[in-house]
Amino acid sequence: MSLSSSETKTILVVGATGRQGRAVVRALSSFNASSASSEPPMFRILALTRTPSSSLSQSLLSLSLPHVQLHQGNLDFPAAIFESAGGFGAIWGVFSMQNNRQVKGGVEGEVRQGKQLAKEAERRGVKCFVYSGVYVGREGAKSGVPQFDSKLEIEKYLKSSDEVGNLPWIILEPVYFMDNLHPSTISTFEGKLLSTMLVKGTFSHPQTDRFQLVALSDLGRVVAKIFQSPSSYLHRTLPLAGDDLTLPDLLSTHRTVLGHDLPTTFGPFASLVKLCMVDLRTMFKREVGFEMKTWEEFLRRECLGHEGGSKTGLE
Ligand SMILES: NC(=O)c1ccc[n+]([C@@H]2O[C@H](COP(=O)([O-])OP(=O)(O)OC[C@H]3O[C@@H](n4cnc5c(N)ncnc54)[C@H](OP(=O)(O)O)[C@@H]3O)[C@@H](O)[C@H]2O)c1
């Protein structure tokens, strides 16, 4: 099968019941919807879950997205995931992510799952393997944060020709998810902890340090675009950021667009690694060639539900 095949590509989406995976499923599905109804769909989407009967799996199904089906499997047993999909050659593309908080053995389990899936994908003839890690700001250098360094270890494995030399990989490095600050997330205690860490614990120079964010919906669109036409992205590492701003800008935009302050909770919980100050937004636009949502556009479109947000500044 060639990389530019116009036949339907079967894509396995890991984490499809979670936040990143669901964004990927939605984006793949909307790419399908944009192709002519007389043509075969661009993608057939296997939404991986350990538990098809769970409420999250069922809520994904209830969206009735065409050409999306739940695919039962567990990252601890990757061979079975490919076997039940039809064996060698049946899965064209894989979107891979792991959440160390849901794996036995924490970050070590995450690394094991990430590597095993890549190895199995190579054995099964996968043509495009997109791994979502995290941006830490210093190429290949360890950060000292276990859930960041685990992702670097998986990235290193993908890049090693000794390990998976025949696997066509692309690595995405998303920055902080805007969705962590969505009102539906912030309404939970865990969500407030995240916002508190950001507001009170992240920055050594809170007035001037810059901070990058990306909307999960944009991560989904990037993944769909890569699967649509992967050749120019193969064997590349792409940082993902939609906005780059200071904390005062982030807070004042939130107040202006949503009409209230970003909710926070007790300060002592706050501690997070200081993020770097490279303007990833510009870098990514140049590399991938399309706009991603700014923080203001995210608040307007995805928190208030307005389709067209101001692109030029606050109204
Ligand atoms: N928060 C941020 O700003 C940020 C930024 C960059 C990167 N990250 C990274 O993003 C990751 C979390 O992504 P997320 O928020 O999308 O995760 P999430 O919403 O917690 O979803 C986790 C998914 O993993 C699946 N899963 C867990 N164990 C599995 C297993 N053994 N086999 C198969 N599937 C399994 C779950 O599916 P089932 O339960 O249905 O099986 C679920 O769909 C973390 O690694 C984090 O470090 C976070």
Side-chain angles (χ1 to χ4, degrees), residues 289-309:
F290 68 77
E291 283 282 351
M292 290 193 285
K293 282 170 226 58
T294 62
W295 171 234
E296 183 191 343
E297 287 161 353
F298 171 80
L299 290 170
R300 288 188 188 283
R301 293 185 196 170
E302 300 195 16
C303 300
L304 289 180
H306 297 173
E307 261 316 296

Side-chain angles (χ1 to χ4, degrees), residues 14-22 48-52 54 56-57 73-77 81 95 97-104 110 113 131-135 147-148 150-151 173-178 180 194 214 216 219:
V14 175
T17 61
R19 300 190 311 158
Q20 295 193 54
R22 185 178 281 240
L48 187 72
T49 176
R50 290 164 295 177
T51 323
S54 73
L56 287 173
S57 297
N74 189 320
L75 290 173
D76 289 331
F77 308 101
I81 296 173
F95 170 74
M97 53 74 59
Q98 287 75 38
N99 188 345
N100 59 286
R101 293 173 63 191
Q102 296 189 350
V103 185
K104 262 190 230 150
E110 175 186 5
Q113 285 186 344
Y131 171 67
S132 177
V134 70
Y135 184 78
Q147 69 271 27
F148 289 1
S150 52
K151 292 172 178 62
E173 293 186 335
V175 293
Y176 191 83
F177 299 145
M178 292 180 188
N180 296 339
L194 276 175
V214 66
L216 282 167
L219 179 143

Side-chain angles (χ1 to χ4, degrees), residues 246-292:
T246 62
L247 186 59
D249 289 342
L250 178 132
L251 295 175
S252 72
T253 305
H254 188 282
R255 197 176 307 118
T256 304
V257 176
L258 297 192
H260 58 86
D261 286 333
L262 183 73
T264 54
T265 183
F266 316 109
F269 290 106
S271 76
L272 197 68
V273 166
K274 185 184 167 203
L275 297 172
C276 72
M277 299 192 221
V278 182
D279 186 350
L280 292 175
R281 177 172 165 74
T282 310
M283 190 197 300
F284 191 70
K285 258 165 63 184
R286 195 175 58 231
E287 302 241 344
V288 174
F290 68 77
E291 283 282 351
M292 290 193 285

